[in-house]
Amino acid sequence: AMAGWGWARAVRGLLLDVSGVLYDSGADGGVPIAGSAEAVRRIKASGLKLQLCTNETQATREDFVRKLRAMGFDISVAEVTAPAPAACRLLRERGLRPHLLVHDGLLPEFAEIDKTNPNCVVLGDAAENFTYANLNEAFRLLIGMEKPVLISLGKGRYYKETDGLKLDVGAYMKALEYACDVQAEVVGKPAKRFFESALAELGVPPEQAIMIGDDIVSDVGGAQQCGMRALQVRTGKYRPSDENHPEVKPDAYVNNLAEAVDIILQHL
């Protein structure tokens, strides 16, 4: 079997997706995936660098990290690359004032941003806030703009919670794109710029990094397009049909994060 493990060589850093790799989210706060907290400890003890690269947009990074630490994950805010701070940088650079259609838990990330007289719409995983009235309000603002600007914090189709699959921000992004005949700008995976900023925070070039995720398109495809190796875990939203994906072929499939870390550490 060793011959099939060429992908595990010459690694200096790991990028990990969070939901579906470290834990399954849910109304109960979520459930850690077996062996994942120990796997994170082993990565850190080995001297490999670690960065979480997440499209999580239901909470601030501080709250998100607090939740992870309560589940037994040794993670700090600096080790999390998330869409909201990246979006705030982009808004400032371009003098954009957003109308926010996001989760209430994410609002503090935008506290310092000017939101008066909006000239763009920022869409996150608003969950229960994705009402007809809220989508229609975003639609009316966009359709009324001379040059509509729609920024989406990710474009996932769905994710897995403990009680089943949930529609993700991408479905609502597509609805607004269609209604307004506009192309959204995605901040988050699989955008190249987002992976590049995660790699910069990791301090490792793409050819020495491996991305581990449960989303064949956002995690695996996005990372490979940046020159990284990428592994698909058979946890989270993984479905057997992913293994016949027409475009994306992971460097390897692993049953879970713990197994991936076992193999990687054996090759250090």
Side-chain angles (χ1 to χ4, degrees):
M2 293 296 280
W5 287 349
W7 59 264
R9 292 189 181 11
V11 186
R12 283 181 49 218
L14 299 180
L15 286 184
L16 306 184
D17 175 40
V18 181
S19 177
V21 175
L22 299 189
Y23 76 99
D24 280 317
S25 58
D28 47 8
V31 178
I33 291 168
S36 56
E38 178 60 22
V40 168
R41 273 196 293 279
R42 293 180 64 205
I43 292 167
K44 291 195 163 186
S46 75
L48 285 174
K49 296 185 166 184
L50 172 73
Q51 190 76 16
L52 305 187
C53 189
T54 178
N55 272 9
E56 168 65 45
T57 58
Q58 287 197 11
T60 62
R61 279 177 305 168
E62 285 73 15
D63 285 344
F64 184 51
V65 165
R66 206 170 293 130
K67 183 167 93 169
L68 285 174
R69 294 185 74 87
M71 287 186 202
F73 292 101
D74 173 23
I75 294 294
S76 67
V77 170
E79 291 170 316
V80 179
T81 303
C88 287
R89 276 201 301 278
L90 182 147
L91 293 168
R92 284 197 183 96
E93 280 166 21
R94 289 172 41 190
L96 291 170
R97 300 179 306 280
H99 168 78
L100 300 172
L101 177 42
V102 300
H103 198 279
D104 292 341
L106 196 68
L107 290 171
E109 291 271 19
F110 295 92
E112 309 297 305
I113 299 283
D114 181 4
K115 296 176 276 292
T116 56
N117 188 22
N119 57 4
C120 73
V121 167
V122 171
L123 201 61
D125 179 15
E128 308 299 321
N129 281 351
F130 278 134
T131 61
Y132 177 78
N134 286 347
L135 274 166
N136 201 49
E137 185 185 10
F139 157 73
R140 283 177 168 173
L141 274 164
L142 281 171
I143 202 93
M145 291 173 192
E146 204 174 313
K147 288 203 178 82
V149 177
L150 173 60
I151 294 165
S152 188
L153 306 181
K155 62 171 193 182
R157 294 180 300 167
Y158 56 86
Y159 52 91
K160 183 168 183 264
E161 288 204 332
T162 47
D163 62 344
L165 299 179
K166 300 284 166 97
L167 270 179
D168 200 358
V169 62
Y172 301 95
M173 176 193 94
K174 287 290 185 190
L176 289 173
E177 281 187 334
Y178 179 64
C180 302
D181 197 19
V182 60
Q183 196 80 50
E185 298 176 48
V186 178
V187 176
K189 300 175 294 191
K192 199 164 188 197
R193 209 178 139 181
F194 189 68
F195 276 113
E196 283 166 353
S197 70
L199 281 168
E201 289 170 55
L202 195 63
V204 168
E207 60 278 7
Q208 295 182 342
I210 295 180
M211 173 77 197
I212 303 175
D214 69 327
D215 187 313
I216 185 93
V217 175
S218 272
D219 297 327
V220 176
Q224 287 176 334
Q225 282 174 335
C226 285
M228 276 183 268
R229 287 162 277 176
L231 309 185
Q232 166 91 33
V233 289
R234 295 188 177 102
T235 54
K237 72 163 89 164
Y238 163 83
R239 302 165 90 182
S241 61
D242 292 344
E243 304 208 16
N244 307 316
H245 197 278
E247 279 107 52
V248 185
K249 300 275 173 269
D251 289 270
Y253 288 93
V254 288
N255 287 322
N256 48 43
L257 176 63
E259 184 183 32
V261 170
D262 273 344
I263 296 170
I264 291 164
L265 295 186
Q266 280 166 24
H267 289 81
L268 278 187

